[in-house]
Amino acid sequence: GGDDSDEGYAKIKVNYAMDTDLDGEIDSEDDCPDTPGLPEKNGCPNQASKILSVDGSRNVTVGEEVDYSVKVKNPDGDSTTVSWSNGETGTSTTYSWNSTGNKTVSVTADDGITEETKEVQVRVEEKSLLTSVYEFFGKIWSIITFSG
């Protein structure tokens, strides 16, 4: 009994950059995540954006337009800029190659303090004979059907 106003409350140690002092903002008064050796941000160590996965075909043909997308997570909730080796920005982009060989698609996630880059190897091959014949007759067919 008595007048113990804090009876029934437990203090929980948070292991993440949260507004633990409940002043409405995440700042150096809050508990920091346990991330030794990382650059600081708002008085807490910055937790870098992580590239979780890069999706898209690893085997393509010359001239084929291929979509690639990336999943990025930032533990601090920072806004992250995603940029691709083709000059595009955003979480998805399209690539196309006009020559055969091994190509590289690279994507970078930058949260303004640190950045992470992942590379994907892509094999570009000539179109198969069947694909070439199909495209050729497809073009002829469209000429025949639309010119009359």
Side-chain angles (χ1 to χ4, degrees), residues 99 111 132:
S99 61
D111 68 3
S132 299

Side-chain angles (χ1 to χ4, degrees), residues 65-123:
E65 290 197 346
V66 190
D67 294 329
Y68 290 89
S69 63
V70 64
K71 287 190 181 70
V72 177
K73 180 176 197 251
N74 185 285
D76 295 335
D78 294 336
S79 68
T80 301
T81 302
V82 175
S83 52
W84 298 85
S85 51
N86 65 357
E88 298 283 318
T89 56
T91 54
S92 62
T93 187
T94 302
Y95 279 78
S96 179
W97 292 272
N98 56 13
S99 61
T100 59
N102 294 317
K103 311 294 181 182
T104 302
V105 169
S106 73
V107 59
T108 301
D110 183 350
D111 68 3
I113 297 175
T114 51
E115 60 181 47
E116 180 182 43
T117 300
K118 277 227 168 36
E119 291 187 343
V120 173
Q121 300 307 312
V122 180
R123 174 99 187 117

Side-chain angles (χ1 to χ4, degrees), residues 130-146:
L130 188 64
T131 304
S132 299
V133 167
Y134 176 79
E135 286 182 354
F136 175 76
F137 282 108
K139 286 179 184 147
I140 288 179
W141 179 250
S142 63
I143 291 168
I144 291 169
T145 52
F146 292 114

Side-chain angles (χ1 to χ4, degrees), residues 9-30:
Y9 291 94
K11 203 163 191 164
I12 299 168
K13 173 78 174 135
V14 239
N15 196 22
Y16 188 58
M18 291 170 50
D19 183 19
T20 54
D21 63 358
L22 303 175
D23 66 352
E25 54 188 75
I26 296 173
D27 54 28
S28 58
E29 303 299 312
D30 297 312

